[in-house]
Structure formats: structure tokens, C-alpha cells
Amino acid sequence: GYEVSLPAGVGAEAVTVHDRLQRVTVEATAFAAPSPPPFQVKRRSEWGARQVNGVSAASKLTLGVIHHTAGTNNYSPSQVPGILRGIQAYHIDGRGWTDAGYNFAVDKFGTIWEMRATSMDANAIGAHAGGFNTGSVGVALLGDYSARQAPAVASEGAAKVFGWKLAGSGVDPSGRTKFTTISGTDMFRAGSVADLPTVAGHGQTSSTSCPGRISEQLVTLRERARFWAAQSAGGASP
């Protein structure tokens, strides 16, 4: 057995090696909570999320996917929790998913909301990008950006999430990734390897107009995500 004492905010991994019948088996056990983000995130309880079960987690993240919800842009801060409850209800009752498909949402005022259960504390597997769900984090901007770019504060909110979550897996949000799909989309066969920017638009994983004109903001978004990755303690290795 082993016992390890660490200061708060430090992530680590214990690896034990057992020699069994001429074979070496390596077992890795992750412990210690992930480092908190260097910015505020509204938890699920703050928008009245339904309690759900059955959300799985990936061992690490290698991809961020940006979306827009294609809903109204005409909302006040007080209306946002109701919008989030509506999205969750549609995804559960209308789509048959375990929970809201997106891991996080960002409203037009720049407020960041945890959407899918355990997304703050683990690499929760969402339902936002088909065969690209496992090992990715999905962030949706609330509103329809088919004909307009997203407000800078909303784009910055998404950059914060991507920087923090990807840094926790040691991934550069301004780089590229070779992502192996779990299941197919109308652009990629199941098991194929997609060469993508580490932060990609939804339309780069399947044939969709999502995330609208946010695609024009991706270069800046990736640069800002890299900045926030540097601010996030989760990117450090012991």
C-alpha cells in the first residue's frame, strides 16, 4: 500500500507495478481533485439542473469543440437558468441522452455554466459531437450566431474553459491533435483518425453549420485559450 500527502491544488498519479507470472502489469490510479479554474464557473445547482446518473468520464482530454445553441439572442441574465433547464430537458426527454449534451455553456454576458454532470470535476463524456465525444470537452455559446459573431466576452468565456480543461491533460489548446473517432459521423468513419486543431468548430467533426460565424473567431479563441492554459495550475506536472 501507499500513502501520499500533497498540498492543495496539486494533481498527481500513483503508479504501482506488479510482477505476475513473468509479466509486468502497470496499474495507474489517479487521485487528488483537479485544480480549480482561475475564473468563476456557475455549478449545476445554480441553474436548477436535474439530478442524473450514468455520466461516464474519459481518462484525458485531447480536443475542445465549440458550438452555438442556435436559440434566441434576446435574453436577460435572469433568464439564463431557464434556458439551460430547457436545453437539458430537450436533450434528456427529446434526444434520449443521459444529460445535457454540452459540458459547459457560456452566455452572451460571459458567464460560464457547468452543463453536463461532473464536467467540473472529471472529463465527463458529453453528447455534443458524435464519434468525437470521448476525450473532448464541448462548450456551447447560448444564442444563434449563424449571421453574427459572438460577443467578445462570450468567446473569452469559451477560451477560459478550453484553456483550463485541456491544460489539465497537458494539451496545448493552440496546437493540433490526431483524434481517433469512437463512432462514425457523416464526415469520418468509425475508428478513423482525424487531424484537427485542438480547439475545433463543431462543423469540423460533422456536416453542420454549427457554430456559425464563431468559426471566424477561432484563431483568436485558440490564442486566448493558450493564455488561460498558462494560468491554470492543472497543466503542471509533479
Side-chain angles (χ1 to χ4, degrees), residues 56-150:
S56 300
S59 59
K60 68 175 297 185
L61 298 175
T62 58
L63 178 68
V65 182
I66 186 74
H67 306 260
H68 70 155
T69 61
T72 180
N73 296 317
N74 184 23
Y75 57 84
S76 66
S78 63
Q79 291 174 311
V80 172
I83 294 172
L84 300 180
R85 290 192 296 271
I87 291 172
Q88 186 191 39
Y90 172 63
H91 286 178
I92 294 176
D93 302 329
R95 304 298 298 269
W97 296 343
T98 302
D99 194 4
Y102 311 119
N103 296 104
F104 296 89
V106 182
D107 63 35
K108 67 179 182 180
F109 311 105
T111 306
I112 302 168
W113 304 82
E114 179 190 31
M115 284 291 287
R116 196 167 182 89
T118 74
S119 291
M120 282 288 290
D121 307 307
N123 299 325
I125 299 173
H128 59 95
F132 293 81
N133 288 324
T134 302
S136 72
V137 55
V139 180
L141 302 193
L142 297 184
D144 188 343
Y145 296 107
S146 302
R148 67 177 78 174
Q149 292 190 351

Side-chain angles (χ1 to χ4, degrees), residues 131-222:
F132 293 81
N133 288 324
T134 302
S136 72
V137 55
V139 180
L141 302 193
L142 297 184
D144 188 343
Y145 296 107
S146 302
R148 67 177 78 174
Q149 292 190 351
V153 291
S155 177
E156 181 74 358
K160 290 177 179 179
V161 175
F162 288 133
W164 167 57
K165 292 297 288 187
L166 291 171
S169 291
V171 174
D172 179 2
S174 63
R176 297 190 69 83
T177 183
K178 293 187 181 299
F179 195 99
T180 301
T181 60
I182 301 299
S183 58
T185 70
D186 54 7
M187 288 176 61
F188 297 94
R189 296 190 305 273
S192 60
V193 178
D195 184 354
L196 296 171
T198 309
V199 174
H202 187 193
Q204 293 176 275
T205 65
S206 61
S207 297
T208 173
S209 61
C210 179
R213 293 190 61 188
I214 297 171
S215 296
E216 300 169 13
Q217 299 169 270
L218 280 174
V219 172
T220 300
L221 196 156
R222 292 177 189 123

